[in-house]
């Protein structure tokens, strides 16, 4: 890692929250992205963002709403972290380094940004928070930081109120907001049309939980009428729920919408703590949206000391026959339900369509060997697919028992002979307790020579 320069400027302030505070501004290294922060009337944290003198994010509020809970630092007397702040100080700094990813599109990545740290105090609650902005040539990231303090040691996030106020009725490339799945087709429409198109955008899936008629998932890609491309997403998502976006389609303002747990809470925080980064990537060149490394730069550095086992591969897979050609994962159509260790597959009639069979997988192995592919992915090889989804069922798969038409020992040996590895798929179907119960035996099977698991 090569670090080129670091410079820091500190400016101390103490400003009353009863009036609007003069904005602090930080620009990207090339000067094209300009971000401003200020406390609006009532001590409300607010930011806005421009790109090449064009507005990207109009003034948008920041803050979080802790839940009233007896286990939090303030218990049932909990107050919000959205207003009544005063600014204690701010710091401007610059950072420039080049680092090497474990793998990726490029061998090195430049991490070059200017940073604004704003230190806030809420006198009535005696709490301090930090809002940190990092501004790159292709956008910005912001996050909330909570130093450890007596008045803010443990708290539960009820809602996060980060806003992204759009300048106009942009064209959006969106997926329906859903806590459980991303398996939807991308919709293309104006922001104002999302509400009217939402019902048709929700295709049937056994695991679905929508939250709003204008809720969409991140990352959200948009194109403006004046030629800008905007992407809203997040980075460094650790010990915090995924962020979706809920659109106020009267005012064209997105607000962060966090995935909740079973009782409606969003996050359980013990300070010191930092939220994930909320990111906005912007460019007037669509190619730069794909080339951006902003999210990679905002993610935490790799903590693994040994990364030698991580490497890219090329593979083909039987899975595509099921997805693209409509062939079944299941071995038979005769079983209304499966009981692991009890159901006898030798007593049922094969459906004759099951693609994860010995002869078909052997054909894939030959294809991989001929075309220089390292591995063959096999999904649907193990018993249990007849009733694997759409039911309240815990014991779904055992991850070791193949279907009668899948000779795992022979295929493993044949793949080894051809210089190819089998990539054996594990489908948890969301039943993590069942997977953990069978994990040790499943890994023993995977220790066979040249095996991989997915």
């Amino acid at each position: 890692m090569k670090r080129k320069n670091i410079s820091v400027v500190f400016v101390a302030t103490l400003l009353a929250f009863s009036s609007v505070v003069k904005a602090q501004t930080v620009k990207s290294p090339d000067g094209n992205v300009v971000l401003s922060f200020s406390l609006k009337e009532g001590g409300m944290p607010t930011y806005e963002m421009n790109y090449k003198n064009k507005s990207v994010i109009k003034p948008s509020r920041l803050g979080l709403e802790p839940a009233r809970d007896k286990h939090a630092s303030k218990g049932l007397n909990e107050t919000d972290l959205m207003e009544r702040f005063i600014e204690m100080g701010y710091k401007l700094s610059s950072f420039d380094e080049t680092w090497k990813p474990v793998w990726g599109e490029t061998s090195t990545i430049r991490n070059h940004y200017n940073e604004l740290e704003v230190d806030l105090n809420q006198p009535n609650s005696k709490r301090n928070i930090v809002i940190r902005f990092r501004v790159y040539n292709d956008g910005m990231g912001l996050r909330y930081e909570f130093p450890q303090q007596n008045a803010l040691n443990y708290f539960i996030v009820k809602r996060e109120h980060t806003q992204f106020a759009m300048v106009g009725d942009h064209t959006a490339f969106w997926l329906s907001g859903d806590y459980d799945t991303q398996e939807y087709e991308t919709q293309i429409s104006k922001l104002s049309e999302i509400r009217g198109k939402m019902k048709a955008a929700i295709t049937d899936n056994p695991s679905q939980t929508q939250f709003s008629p204008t809720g969409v998932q991140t990352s959200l890609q948009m194109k403006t009428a004046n030629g800008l491309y905007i992407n809203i997403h997040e980075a460094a998502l650790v010990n915090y729920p995924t962020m979706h976006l809920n659109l106020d389609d009267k005012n064209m303002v997105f607000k962060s919408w966090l995935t909740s747990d079973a009782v409606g809470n969003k996050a359980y925080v013990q300070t010191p703590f930092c939220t994930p980064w909320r990111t906005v990537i912007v460019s007037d060149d669509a190619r730069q949206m794909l080339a951006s490394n902003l999210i990679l730069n905002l993610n935490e550095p790799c903590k693994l000391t040994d990364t030698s086992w991580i490497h890219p591969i090329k593979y083909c897979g039987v899975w595509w026959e099921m997805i693209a050609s409509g062939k079944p994962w299941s071995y038979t159509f005769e079983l209304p339900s499966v009981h692991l260790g009890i159901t006898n597959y030798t007593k049922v009639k094969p459906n004759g369509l099951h693609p994860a069979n010995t002869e078909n997988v052997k054909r894939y192995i030959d294809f991989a060997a001929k075309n220089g592919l390292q591995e063959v992915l096999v999904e649907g090889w193990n018993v249990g697919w007849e009733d694997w989804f759409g039911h309240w069922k815990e014991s779904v798969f055992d991850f070791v028992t193949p279907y009668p038409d899948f000779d795992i020992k022979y295929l493993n040996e044949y793949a080894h002979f051809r210089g190819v590895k089998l990539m054996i798929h594990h489908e948890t179907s969301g039943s993590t307790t069942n997977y953990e119960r069978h994990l040790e035996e499943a890994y023993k099977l995977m220790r066979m020579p040249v095996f991989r698991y997915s």
Side-chain angles (χ1 to χ4, degrees):
M1 180 174 66
K2 183 178 180 183
R3 184 171 296 176
K4 296 182 178 179
N5 60 70
I6 300 176
S7 61
V8 178
V9 178
F10 175 78
V11 179
T13 61
L14 182 59
L15 299 166
F17 63 84
S18 59
S19 61
V20 177
V21 174
K22 182 179 179 181
Q24 283 80 50
T25 298
V26 57
K27 297 182 179 181
S28 59
D30 65 4
N32 287 332
V33 180
V34 180
L35 184 138
S36 298
F37 172 87
S38 62
L39 290 178
K40 296 299 185 182
E41 192 72 35
M44 181 194 308
T46 305
Y47 79 101
E48 57 186 300
M49 175 181 170
N50 294 334
Y51 176 74
K52 292 184 178 180
N53 297 316
K54 296 179 180 179
S55 179
V56 177
I57 305 292
K58 296 194 299 183
S60 301
R61 70 181 303 174
L62 300 167
L64 291 95
E65 181 183 351
R68 293 183 177 181
D69 186 275
K70 65 180 181 179
H71 301 297
S73 293
K74 286 188 175 293
L76 299 179
N77 296 316
E78 187 60 85
T79 56
D80 68 67
L81 295 168
M82 298 171 57
E83 53 190 7
R84 301 180 302 280
F85 284 104
I86 60 174
E87 186 176 304
M88 303 301 293
Y90 69 91
K91 298 177 184 177
L92 291 169
S93 62
S94 298
F95 187 81
D96 192 356
E97 70 172 4
T98 300
W99 59 281
K100 293 185 177 181
V102 176
W103 61 271
E105 297 171 333
T106 59
S107 59
T108 60
I109 294 176
R110 187 181 185 187
N111 186 17
H112 189 198
Y113 61 82
N114 292 328
E115 181 176 282
L116 169 64
E117 172 193 325
V118 183
D119 302 311
L120 300 176
N121 172 262
Q122 196 178 52
N124 65 315
S125 68
K126 299 181 180 179
R127 288 173 165 178
N128 299 311
I129 71 169
V130 176
I131 302 178
R132 189 177 304 275
F133 302 89
R134 288 183 181 172
V135 182
Y136 293 81
N137 291 341
D138 56 352
M140 73 91 190
L142 70 88
R143 75 179 183 189
Y144 305 93
E145 300 177 6
F146 306 97
Q148 190 167 25
Q149 53 203 287
N150 291 334
L152 192 61
N153 201 4
Y154 296 92
F155 68 98
I156 299 171
V157 177
K158 181 179 180 180
R159 295 185 186 90
E160 181 185 317
H161 291 272
T162 304
Q163 290 184 345
F164 306 87
M166 299 294 99
V167 176
D169 188 10
H170 305 327
T171 299
F173 304 78
W174 56 276
L175 296 179
S176 171
D178 195 305
Y179 293 152
D180 293 322
T181 185
Q182 294 179 320
E183 293 186 355
Y184 294 115
E185 293 183 5
T186 299
Q187 306 296 311
I188 305 174
S189 74
K190 295 291 187 180
L191 296 178
S192 60
E193 297 173 333
I194 290 177
R195 182 184 297 271
K197 293 180 176 293
M198 182 62 71
K199 185 176 181 180
I202 300 173
T203 53
D204 186 49
N205 189 301
S207 299
Q208 294 175 309
T209 308
Q210 294 89 34
F211 59 85
S212 168
T214 57
V216 297
Q217 300 195 32
T218 63
S219 67
L220 175 66
Q221 180 65 43
M222 292 172 284
K223 182 180 180 181
T224 72
N226 61 354
L228 295 184
Y229 297 88
I230 302 170
N231 185 282
I232 302 176
H233 198 24
E234 59 185 341
L237 179 57
V238 180
N239 293 329
Y240 203 80
T242 298
M243 181 183 74
H244 312 271
L245 298 169
N246 196 32
L247 176 65
D248 171 357
D249 52 1
K250 292 183 179 180
N251 298 298
M252 299 304 164
V253 176
F254 285 106
K255 185 165 70 173
S256 57
W257 190 281
L258 305 181
T259 300
S260 62
D261 66 8
V263 297
N265 292 328
K266 306 305 190 296
Y268 299 84
V269 176
Q270 179 182 359
T271 61
F273 182 79
C274 300
T275 69
W277 295 94
R278 279 62 189 96
T279 63
V280 179
I281 302 174
V282 60
S283 179
D284 50 15
D285 185 339
R287 297 170 299 177
Q288 295 304 316
M289 306 303 289
L290 293 175
S292 173
N293 288 317
L294 184 146
I295 290 175
L296 294 178
N297 279 324
L298 289 173
N299 284 339
E300 294 299 312
C302 178
K303 291 182 172 60
L304 299 176
T305 55
D306 178 15
T307 59
S308 61
W309 54 276
I310 302 174
H311 56 86
I313 62 165
K314 294 181 180 179
Y315 70 94
C316 58
V318 176
W319 178 78
W320 294 106
E321 287 193 54
M322 298 135 171
I323 293 297
S325 300
K327 293 183 179 180
W329 281 258
S330 61
Y331 171 74
T332 180
F333 295 144
E334 291 189 348
L335 295 175
S337 67
V338 174
H339 296 271
L340 294 178
I342 299 175
T343 299
N344 188 347
Y345 279 91
T346 65
K347 302 295 184 180
V348 298
K349 180 182 177 180
N351 56 37
L353 301 172
H354 179 234
N357 65 73
T358 302
E359 289 305 313
N360 194 40
V361 173
K362 184 178 177 181
R363 185 170 65 91
Y364 274 80
I365 293 171
D366 291 337
F367 176 85
K370 180 180 179 181
N371 293 278
L373 306 181
Q374 291 85 27
E375 302 187 15
V376 174
L377 167 66
V378 186
E379 186 168 340
W381 64 276
N382 55 317
V383 299
W385 288 91
E386 285 73 19
D387 65 343
W388 76 278
F389 76 91
H391 311 288
W392 289 108
K393 182 180 181 182
E394 183 181 26
S395 298
V396 188
F397 303 108
D398 66 8
F399 310 99
V400 295
T401 306
Y403 278 125
D405 63 347
F406 188 80
D407 190 335
I408 192 169
K409 184 176 185 299
Y410 169 78
L411 288 170
N412 185 48
E413 292 172 349
Y414 185 73
H416 187 255
F417 170 74
R418 296 287 292 171
V420 175
K421 290 184 178 182
L422 286 181
M423 184 188 297
I424 298 298
H425 171 265
H426 285 182
E427 173 61 65
T428 67
S429 69
S431 182
T432 55
T433 54
N434 179 65
Y435 191 50
E436 290 175 348
R437 186 181 301 122
H438 293 283
L439 202 54
E440 184 173 352
E441 291 302 313
Y443 279 177
K444 286 181 181 179
L445 177 66
M446 294 303 108
R447 292 192 187 103
M448 293 173 64
V450 307
F451 253 137
R452 282 180 63 89
Y453 69 91
S454 171

